[in-house]
Amino acid sequence: ILSNDEKLTMQSLNERLASYLNTVRNLELENAQLEQLIREWYQKQGPTGTKDYSHYYGKIEDLQNQLVTAAVETNRVLLDLDNTRMTAEDFRIKYETEYCLRQNVEADINSLRPLLDNLTLSRSDLEMQFESLKEEMIDLKKNHEEEIKSLQTQSSGDVNVEVNATPGEDLLKKLNDMRQEYENIIQKNREEVERWYESKMEEVSQQVHSSGQEVESSNQQISVLRREYQSLEIELQSQISM
């Protein structure tokens, strides 16, 4: 799951490794040719008696194998270092992305706070209007009772008067209906605001929690990669010294 740049980098590293191996093989061929020339020169210029150098051939072959192994191991370490560097860069980019996401979430939370304050003020305003209407209803009810008592006092005679008129509206019932309507509106607005606020806070909390876990995981992986990078640096220095 590599990007195009990383694929190109891996291809370049593989090509470098193949080039190093070809160089080692060429050096081995040149070394063999030099050994052949040295043997021919000693055969021509040296003393008549031949010397047996066969016991050195094993050591020479062992040293040549060690050189090849060291070259391959050095290239492997370089490849691991490049891979580790690319992985660390990927985790750094991911960390910066998650950090920006967290900042955006915090900015969204801060931008929602004024809206919550406005809704709280609107709720307080509606409650004040309700209290005012309640007091007005109490006053109207009191005036209505006083008017009824006054009419009862005035109609204390024996006169029986029948009036065919339409009965008046029940003011108390109307006020109760108005009060019930305002209470329903206030309760509905309160429930909608609470549901909206709870859903937003839950969503934001989940995003913050998820971002925090991913950031923590990225930090741990970066620490592991840093330790691996240091160990590879030490191994590289030891290979160079050898």
Side-chain angles (χ1 to χ4, degrees):
I1 312 175
L2 298 174
S3 64
N4 292 329
D5 294 337
E6 293 173 350
K7 289 180 180 179
L8 292 175
T9 304
M10 292 293 295
Q11 184 177 0
S12 176
L13 292 174
N14 290 330
E15 291 176 356
R16 287 169 57 189
L17 180 58
S19 176
Y20 290 151
L21 293 176
N22 290 329
T23 303
V24 171
R25 293 191 188 97
N26 293 329
L27 290 174
E28 289 178 352
L29 292 175
E30 292 178 359
N31 191 14
Q33 293 175 359
L34 290 174
E35 289 176 355
Q36 183 65 28
L37 292 174
I38 291 171
R39 283 196 295 270
E40 292 177 356
W41 185 86
Y42 272 109
Q43 289 175 0
K44 293 179 181 180
Q45 303 294 332
T48 56
T50 59
K51 294 184 179 180
D52 186 13
Y53 296 100
S54 61
H55 61 280
Y56 292 108
Y57 294 157
K59 293 182 180 180
I60 292 172
E61 185 177 1
D62 187 24
L63 290 174
Q64 289 176 347
N65 293 329
Q66 290 181 7
L67 286 173
V68 174
T69 303
V72 173
E73 186 66 21
T74 302
N75 287 287
R76 186 188 66 80
V77 171
L78 291 174
L79 182 62
D80 292 338
L81 284 174
D82 291 335
N83 293 333
T84 304
R85 190 178 295 108
M86 288 189 294
T87 305
E89 182 67 18
D90 186 23
F91 277 109
R92 185 184 65 80
I93 294 172
K94 185 182 291 184
Y95 170 76
E96 292 177 354
T97 303
E98 295 297 334
Y99 183 72
C100 292
L101 178 62
R102 180 177 180 180
Q103 287 183 338
N104 292 331
V105 171
E106 291 178 352
D108 291 337
I109 293 173
N110 293 327
S111 64
L112 289 174
R113 291 188 186 279
L115 180 60
L116 178 62
D117 295 335
N118 292 330
L119 292 173
T120 304
L121 293 174
S122 299
R123 176 183 173 183
S124 301
D125 189 18
L126 289 174
E127 289 178 351
M128 291 175 63
Q129 292 180 7
F130 171 72
E131 293 295 333
S132 177
L133 290 173
K134 187 176 180 181
E135 293 177 358
E136 185 177 356
M137 184 189 68
I138 293 173
D139 293 336
L140 289 173
K141 184 177 180 181
K142 184 177 179 181
N143 293 331
H144 180 66
E145 291 177 354
E146 291 179 355
E147 289 179 358
I148 291 174
K149 290 180 180 179
S150 176
L151 290 173
Q152 288 177 355
T153 303
Q154 292 178 2
S155 60
S156 59
D158 296 332
V159 180
N160 186 9
V161 179
E162 293 182 0
V163 179
N164 187 9
T166 303
E169 295 182 358
D170 191 353
L171 184 59
L172 182 61
K173 183 177 181 302
K174 188 174 181 179
L175 290 174
N176 288 330
D177 293 339
M178 290 176 62
R179 181 189 66 181
Q180 187 65 34
E181 184 178 357
Y182 276 110
E183 288 179 353
N184 293 333
I185 292 173
I186 292 171
Q187 184 64 26
K188 184 178 179 181
N189 291 334
R190 182 185 297 113
E191 291 176 355
E192 290 179 355
V193 170
E194 289 178 354
R195 285 196 300 270
W196 178 83
Y197 179 73
E198 289 177 357
S199 64
K200 287 294 183 183
M201 290 302 295
E202 184 178 359
E203 181 180 355
V204 170
S205 299
Q206 290 178 356
Q207 292 179 356
V208 172
H209 182 67
S210 176
S211 299
Q213 289 181 345
E214 292 181 359
V215 169
E216 185 177 358
S217 176
S218 299
N219 289 331
Q220 292 177 356
Q221 292 179 358
I222 289 172
S223 299
V224 173
L225 289 173
R226 187 179 290 111
R227 288 195 294 270
E228 292 180 357
Y229 177 77
Q230 292 176 354
S231 63
L232 289 173
E233 284 284 351
I234 295 171
E235 185 177 357
L236 176 61
Q237 294 297 328
S238 63
Q239 293 293 333
I240 292 173
S241 299
M242 183 171 61

